[in-house]
């Protein structure tokens, strides 16, 4: 009896532990989903704000907003492309690692641009803009290069697979049409019978029938009621 109670107790503890573990996993997944949604919403709000500033503000402030928007758009697009490519192509892991190093420079530049938006000294800000433009250009060009290289690689694999598939389909189509090239077998002629043609049968029948005179004699020719009787010839 004590053994049965011990077994049921262990089963209860196991079920309870499994329930707690499942609950923690579900809560964690839900929390990650909420965090992801909040992050995406915050990024969308920031992007709209930067876009509005780049159009509404003139001078260095508007240019700073445009630089941040360009940087964030390029980096986000490259990250999405590499994340999607790594799941299908393991060789992109090195490219993803390089992008992580590039992202550190991108985050540093984005933070500096954000702090300079509140800089009251517009003269000093205008003097620093050329260097900020150059850093933004270098980072975005590197990110764009990685992104397009990953896309070209994926497209190349897709083209190679399509070429191989087209070749297999051509072979299969040729095999399916092979029956049209073979002529149907002809039945051998019957024993003792020579070759026959359609033109011989009427000729044989005409040879067996007796020849008919070209003109029917008057005595045999049938008479019709609308014909006149022939007059006897005069002996005088």
């Amino acid at each position: 009896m004590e053994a049965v109670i011990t077994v049921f107790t262990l089963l209860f503890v196991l079920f309870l532990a499994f329930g707690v573990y499942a609950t923690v996993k579900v809560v964690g997944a839900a929390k990650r989903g909420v965090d992801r949604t909040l992050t995406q919403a915050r990024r969308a709000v920031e992007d709209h704000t930067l876009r509005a500033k780049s159009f509404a503000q003139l001078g260095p402030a508007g240019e700073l907003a445009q630089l941040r928007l360009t940087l964030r758009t390029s980096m986000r697009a490259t990250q999405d492309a590499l994340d999607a490519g790594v799941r299908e192509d393991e060789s992109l892991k090195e490219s993803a690692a390089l992008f992580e190093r590039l992202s550190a420079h991108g985050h540093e530049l984005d933070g500096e641009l954000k702090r300079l938006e509140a800089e009251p000294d517009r003269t000093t800000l205008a003097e620093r803009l050329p260097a900020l433009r150059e850093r933004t250009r270098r980072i975005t060009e590197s990110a764009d290069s990685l992104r397009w290289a990953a896309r070209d690689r994926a497209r190349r694999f897709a083209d190679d697979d399509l070429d191989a598939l087209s070749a297999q389909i051509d072979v299969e189509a040729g095999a399916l049409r092979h029956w049209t090239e073979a002529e149907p077998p002809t039945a051998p002629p019957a024993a003792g019978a020579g070759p026959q043609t359609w033109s011989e049968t009427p000729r044989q029948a005409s040879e067996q029938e007796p020849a008919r005179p070209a003109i029917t004699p008057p005595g045999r020719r049938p008479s019709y009621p609308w014909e006149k009787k022939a007059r006897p010839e005069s002996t005088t």
Side-chain angles (χ1 to χ4, degrees), residues 8 20 24 30 39 42 54 89 99 106 121 147 161 218 230:
F8 276 106
V20 172
V24 171
T39 301
R42 185 176 65 254
S54 65
D89 188 0
F99 179 73
D121 189 355
R147 182 174 69 254
D161 183 68

Side-chain angles (χ1 to χ4, degrees), residues 7-232:
V7 170
F8 276 106
T9 303
L10 290 176
L11 291 176
F12 177 76
V13 171
L14 288 176
F15 279 119
L16 182 61
F18 178 77
V20 172
Y21 174 77
T23 303
V24 171
K25 295 291 289 185
V26 170
V27 171
K31 184 178 182 300
R32 287 192 298 271
V34 172
D35 293 341
R36 190 182 305 111
T37 302
L38 292 176
T39 301
Q40 293 175 353
R42 185 176 65 254
R43 288 176 179 175
V45 171
E46 291 179 355
D47 290 345
H48 286 297
T49 303
L50 291 174
R51 190 173 289 107
K53 288 181 179 180
S54 65
F55 287 107
Q57 296 180 356
L58 301 177
E63 189 169 356
L64 286 175
Q66 182 61 47
L67 290 177
R68 287 192 66 197
L69 184 62
T70 302
L71 176 65
R72 292 160 64 92
T73 302
S74 176
M75 299 297 286
R76 189 176 301 125
T78 303
Q79 184 176 15
D80 292 341
L82 291 177
D83 289 344
V86 166
R87 290 193 292 267
E88 300 178 358
D89 188 0
E90 294 291 333
S91 62
L92 290 178
K93 286 185 176 180
E94 185 176 355
S95 299
L98 292 175
F99 179 73
E100 290 297 328
R101 295 173 57 187
L102 183 65
S103 295
H105 293 277
H107 286 300
E108 181 181 357
L109 176 60
D110 184 66
E112 184 176 354
L113 293 172
K114 186 176 182 180
R115 289 189 299 270
L116 290 175
E117 288 179 353
E119 175 61 43
D121 189 355
R122 299 304 178 184
T123 303
T124 304
L125 181 59
E127 294 176 354
R128 297 190 61 181
L129 273 177
L132 295 173
R133 292 194 205 101
E134 179 63 17
R135 287 176 62 189
T136 304
R137 183 192 63 81
R138 292 180 61 184
I139 293 176
T140 54
E141 285 184 355
S142 297
D144 295 343
S145 179
L146 282 175
R147 182 174 69 254
W148 283 110
R151 289 176 176 174
D152 291 342
R153 182 178 179 84
R155 181 180 57 82
R156 180 60 182 174
F157 284 162
D159 291 342
D160 292 343
D161 183 68
L162 180 59
D163 292 340
L165 179 60
S166 298
Q168 293 178 1
I169 290 176
D170 291 341
V171 173
E172 181 64 18
L176 292 175
R177 294 192 182 97
H178 183 69
W179 65 273
T180 59
E181 300 177 0
E183 297 182 357
T186 57
Q196 297 181 358
T197 60
W198 289 105
S199 60
E200 293 180 357
T201 303
R203 188 182 301 116
Q204 292 176 357
S206 61
E207 291 177 357
Q208 295 176 1
E209 293 179 356
R212 296 181 180 180
I215 302 177
T216 305
R220 294 182 181 181
R221 186 173 56 189
S223 60
Y224 300 95
W226 57 82
E227 293 182 349
K228 292 182 180 182
K229 295 182 179 181
R231 294 181 181 181

